[in-house]
């Protein structure tokens, strides 16, 4: 009898930063989606959650707004109607039903709109609001606030009761006590929440009279960082906090003054110490986001995985005798062919760091599990004209499966969508090897084509949390190995179904595959094939942007890299873009690029550290010519120490001309990350000129222009 296989994935890498202080979590976990959102903010597979609050002083809405401060306020306002005595309310996303009234101003709507794309069945809006505290505070240089998950979103508004500036001290104390904060904690959480941001004249004209502050926005203290200045300046008699000094006193709205002095300045004086402020705020903000309904059970705090699988997928191959097993371990891709009869139940990861001594990761002794009872056939699935078609393979003797969709449905008068599920019974079409092939269809609304998650289930097994945005526009065919697109409907014996476990190894630098047809490099309209080239995981040849997909093919990569001069496919499922070669490379033998594309077995998609590269035969993007300005070069930048610290703006249709117009009157401007524009009269922090290939992002508003990259500025200087 054959044996069900357990795979060991061997990865040779040169890094020394795997190990964290906390115990490694076991994969998979209910926190996996939120762990990605929390930690994958830049680079390959970046989720980009922190982009809206990076740097701390930034807002996509322009001057007079600080998104990080708005994220902190949003969490407080959502929590503030909770009642720990009754076990109701708290951080439950009821704020989406409560805009206006106690929650004035556009900050809450902007924040919730920013959060909406991250809402899924595995990441509730209330958990995302809590995550916003961690992200905003860290972006502003504050402490690490531990994040627990498991919050359940409210379906209606909570009671009124958010603290207002005109409230008496007695009212404040009662409101905070209702949410579990005593007087000292009330003072602390108020200071922690007010260390970043300010008060808008449009929302509180009696506190900040229109025209009295730049952009009608008065900051709480002298910095835009998460620091103790809100307390130290208050204690030194130098406070500029509009809720402590100025017109608010005469208007009876000096709420920070009433709160800070509630215990004779005992607590606020301690918070004037930077270390005390940081440690106290870490505890108080964690306490704030853990005010939840008594029916909610929170998880342990999220900790980063040392080794985390991603995009794992089994795919039944033509003929039915082989399964392609592909995926990534964080950023290292693998692909292998395994027999469909024996298949796989789990795998371990062996890493060879720079020291040369191997390290084995076995998921806390459990192995990284894989199920093969029902698997999505991504190459045979698609979204065409709004119709979703999902094909799956169900291991015999089962012959049925369900398609379960999680749809984002707009709600009248509510700015965030509702998650609704729809179940579609899939229809058996044929059998292939030990599997039945089933399909299901569903018509999506236009705004659901890219945002829908779906599961394919059979019995207790599921291939889950798949995204329609990763499917192509054309469904492929799955033949019986002889070239026929009509599949046999004969029964399949399961008497040789394996039960024991053996070991099989595959290296990450090459994949053993077998096929009746040899993959090739077909022509791609608009591009010239350059050949097979060397690449390195530590010094990528193409550094514009990158992605990975279980349905990768030339069309998918070319479309993803639209606007770039070069694109390349690697290791079956990876796609890289760039406008030049950013690091040394050399031509490799064509036979080195031999891995089949995960989405088209007739095409080759490089191999381990080998890339099939194509070059656009259209006009390449360039650095723009702008009257009055001269292009200076590609410069390094940092989210924690910006090079240009004058004006800043986010523009989803940015062009170099628009950035130049914004920075009129300044001596320098720079475009970054396709959508960001920064101005200054001098470089405020350390920077260096780097190769032009590192500024490879095309401008969001003009694909013929270059607009930096991640932490890279396309810099222009005013003519003398």
């Amino acid at each position: 009898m054959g044996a069900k296989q357990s795979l060991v994935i061997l990865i040779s890498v040169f890094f020394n930063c795997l190990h964290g202080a906390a115990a490694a979590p076991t994969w998979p976990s209910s926190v996996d989606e939120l762990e990605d959102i929390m930690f994958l903010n830049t680079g390959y597979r970046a989720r980009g959650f922190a982009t809206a609050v990076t740097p701390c002083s930034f807002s996509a809405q322009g001057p007079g707004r600080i998104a990080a401060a708005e994220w902190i306020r949003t969490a407080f306002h959502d929590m503030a109607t909770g009642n720990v005595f009754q076990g109701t309310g708290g951080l439950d996303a009821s704020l989406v039903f409560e805009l206006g009234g106690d929650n004035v101003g556009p900050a809450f709507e902007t924040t919730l709109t920013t959060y909406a794309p991250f809402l899924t069945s595995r990441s509730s809006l209330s958990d995302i609001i809590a995550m916003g505290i961690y992200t905003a505070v860290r972006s502003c240089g504050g402490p690490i606030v531990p994040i627990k998950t498991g919050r359940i979103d409210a379906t209606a508004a909570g009671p009124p009761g958010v603290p207002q500036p005109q409230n008496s001290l007695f009212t404040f104390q009662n409101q905070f006590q209702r949410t579990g904060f005593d007087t000292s904690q009330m003072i602390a959480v108020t200071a922690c929440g007010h260390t970043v941001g300010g008060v808008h004249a449009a929302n509180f004209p009696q506190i900040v009279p229109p025209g009295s502050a730049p952009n009608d926005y008065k900051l709480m203290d002298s910095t835009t960082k998460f620091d103790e200045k809100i307390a130290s300046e208050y204690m030194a008699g130098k406070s500029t906090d509009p809720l402590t000094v100025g017109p608010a006193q005469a208007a009876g709205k000096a709420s920070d003054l009433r709160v800070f002095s509630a215990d004779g300045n005992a607590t606020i004086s301690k918070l004037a110490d930077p270390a005390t402020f940081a440690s106290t705020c870490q505890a108080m903000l964690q306490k704030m986001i853990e005010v939840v309904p008594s029916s909610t059970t929170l998880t342990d705090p999220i900790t980063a995985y040392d080794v985390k699988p991603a995009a794992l997928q089994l795919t039944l191959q033509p003929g039915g005798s082989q399964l392609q097993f592909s995926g990534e371990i964080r950023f290292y891709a693998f692909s292998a062919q395994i027999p469909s009869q024996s298949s796989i139940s789990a795998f371990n990861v062996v890493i060879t760091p720079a020291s040369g001594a191997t390290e084995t990761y076995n998921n806390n002794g459990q192995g990284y599990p894989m199920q093969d009872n029902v698997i999505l056939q991504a190459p045979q699935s698609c979204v065409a004209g709004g119709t979703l078609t999902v094909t799956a393979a169900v291991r015999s003797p089962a012959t049925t499966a369900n398609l379960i969709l999680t749809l984002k449905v707009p709600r009248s008068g509510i700015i965030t969508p509702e998650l609704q599920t729809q179940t579609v019974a899939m229809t058996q079409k044929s059998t292939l090897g030990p599997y039945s092939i089933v399909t299901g269809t569903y018509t999506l609304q236009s705004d659901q084509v890219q945002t829908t998650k779906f599961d394919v289930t059979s019995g207790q097994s599921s291939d889950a949390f798949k995204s329609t945005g990763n499917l192509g526009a054309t469904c492929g065919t799955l033949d019986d190995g002889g070239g026929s697109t009509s599949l046999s409907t004969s029964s399949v014996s399961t008497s040789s179904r394996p039960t024991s476990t053996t070991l099989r190894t595959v290296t990450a630098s090459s994949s053993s595959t077998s096929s009746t047809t040899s993959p090739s490099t077909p022509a791609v309209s608009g591009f010239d094939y350059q050949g097979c080239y060397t690449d390195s995981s530590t010094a990528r040849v193409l550094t514009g942007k990158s992605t990975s997909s279980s349905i990768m093919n030339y069309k998918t990569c070319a479309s993803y890299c639209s606007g770039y001069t070069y694109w390349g496919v690697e290791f079956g499922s990876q796609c890289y873009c760039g406008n030049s070669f950013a690091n040394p490379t050399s031509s490799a033998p064509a036979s080195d690029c031999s891995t089949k594309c995960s989405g088209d077995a007739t095409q080759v998609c490089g191999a381990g550290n080998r890339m099939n590269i194509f070059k656009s035969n259209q006009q390449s993007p360039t650095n723009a010519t702008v009257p009055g300005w001269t292009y200076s070069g590609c410069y390094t930048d940092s989210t924690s120490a910006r090079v240009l610290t004058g004006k800043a703006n986010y523009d989803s249709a940015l062009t170099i001309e628009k950035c130049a117009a914004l920075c009129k009157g300044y001596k320098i401007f720079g475009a970054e990350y396709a959508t960001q524009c920064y101005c200054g009269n001098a470089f405020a922090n350390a920077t260096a000129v780097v190769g032009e290939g590192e500024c490879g992002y095309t401008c969001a508003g003009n694909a013929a222009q270059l607009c930096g990259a991640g932490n890279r500025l396309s810099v222009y200087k005013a003519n003398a």
Side-chain angles (χ1 to χ4, degrees), residues 538-551:
T538 58
R540 290 292 182 196
V541 174
L542 300 177
T543 57
K545 63 178 182 177
S546 60
T547 188
S548 178
S549 172
S550 62
I551 57 168

Side-chain angles (χ1 to χ4, degrees), residues 381-426:
S381 303
C382 62
V383 182
T387 298
L388 168 66
T389 300
V390 173
T391 299
V394 181
R395 184 176 281 277
S396 300
T399 58
T400 60
N402 286 325
L403 170 63
I404 302 177
L405 302 109
T406 302
L407 306 165
K408 290 187 175 182
V409 180
R411 295 181 283 188
S412 177
I414 306 298
I415 62 172
T416 58
E418 179 184 19
L419 296 182
Q420 295 183 2
T421 60
Q422 293 286 341
T423 300
V424 177
M426 304 182 78

Side-chain angles (χ1 to χ4, degrees), residues 484-563:
S484 170
T485 57
S486 59
L487 303 179
S488 168
T489 57
S490 60
S491 62
V492 178
S493 171
T494 60
S495 60
S496 62
R497 178 70 170 147
T499 57
S500 61
T501 299
T502 59
L503 185 69
R504 182 174 185 262
T505 63
V506 57
T507 68
S509 59
S510 64
S511 300
S512 175
T513 62
S514 63
S515 175
T516 57
T517 59
S518 298
S520 62
T521 53
V524 182
S525 177
F527 297 90
D528 296 325
Y529 179 56
Q530 303 298 294
C532 178
Y533 281 77
T534 61
D535 194 19
S536 169
S537 60
T538 58
R540 290 292 182 196
V541 174
L542 300 177
T543 57
K545 63 178 182 177
S546 60
T547 188
S548 178
S549 172
S550 62
I551 57 168
M552 184 59 64
N553 57 35
Y554 291 173
K555 182 179 179 181
T556 299
C557 189
S559 176
Y560 175 75
C561 294
S562 176

Side-chain angles (χ1 to χ4, degrees), residues 57-69:
S57 59
F58 178 71
S59 172
Q61 280 62 50
R65 301 279 294 273
I66 297 178

Side-chain angles (χ1 to χ4, degrees), residues 602-667:
T602 68
Q603 299 176 354
V604 290
C605 281
N609 289 333
R610 294 294 185 271
M611 183 185 295
N612 294 107
I613 295 180
F614 292 76
K615 181 180 181 181
S616 172
N617 52 33
Q618 310 299 315
Q619 182 178 358
S620 301
T622 60
N623 295 301
T625 300
V626 185
W629 300 85
T630 300
Y631 176 69
S632 179
C634 180
Y635 286 73
T636 60
D637 195 15
S638 169
T639 57
S640 59
R642 287 292 180 191
V643 173
L644 299 174
T645 56
K647 285 184 180 179
N649 189 39
Y650 168 89
D651 187 342
S652 60
L654 183 68
T655 66
I656 294 298
E657 291 81 5
K658 291 172 75 173
C659 192
L662 174 74
C663 297
K664 183 178 181 181
Y666 287 89
K667 295 180 180 179

Side-chain angles (χ1 to χ4, degrees), residues 682-699:
F683 292 151
N685 288 291
T687 185
V689 178
V690 293
E692 287 299 310
E694 295 192 29
C695 283
Y697 280 31
T698 55
C699 299

Side-chain angles (χ1 to χ4, degrees), residues 32-184:
D32 286 347
E33 173 69 0
L34 287 159
E35 194 259 4
D36 277 355
I37 294 172
M38 187 174 190
F39 295 120
L40 299 183
N41 280 301
T42 59
Y44 181 61
R45 297 188 74 86
R47 303 300 297 273
F49 185 66
T51 301
V53 292
T54 306
C56 175
S57 59
F58 178 71
S59 172
Q61 280 62 50
R65 301 279 294 273
I66 297 178
E70 295 175 0
W71 285 23
I72 295 170
R73 307 285 195 279
T74 295
F76 175 78
H77 277 243
D78 189 49
M79 178 281 305
T81 59
N83 190 317
V84 297
F85 304 108
Q86 297 178 0
T88 58
L91 200 68
D92 59 2
S94 62
L95 185 62
V96 300
F97 305 102
E98 300 162 358
L99 299 182
D102 290 349
N103 308 298
V104 299
F108 308 111
E109 182 172 344
T110 299
T111 300
L112 294 169
T113 300
T114 303
Y115 289 164
F118 297 93
L119 170 64
T120 71
S121 60
R122 297 187 179 182
S123 50
S124 68
L125 185 59
S126 43
D127 275 342
I128 295 167
I129 293 172
M131 186 71 70
I133 287 289
Y134 164 85
T135 304
V137 171
R138 290 298 290 155
S139 177
C140 293
I144 295 174
V145 180
I147 301 298
K148 299 179 180 180
T149 73
R151 296 168 186 82
I152 299 172
D153 293 342
T155 57
V162 176
Q164 299 296 305
Q166 66 271 17
N167 289 358
S168 67
L169 177 59
F170 177 78
T171 300
F172 279 140
Q173 289 172 319
N174 276 276
Q175 288 176 316
F176 278 90
Q177 186 180 34
R178 170 172 46 77
T179 57
F181 291 80
D182 62 24
T183 296
S184 179

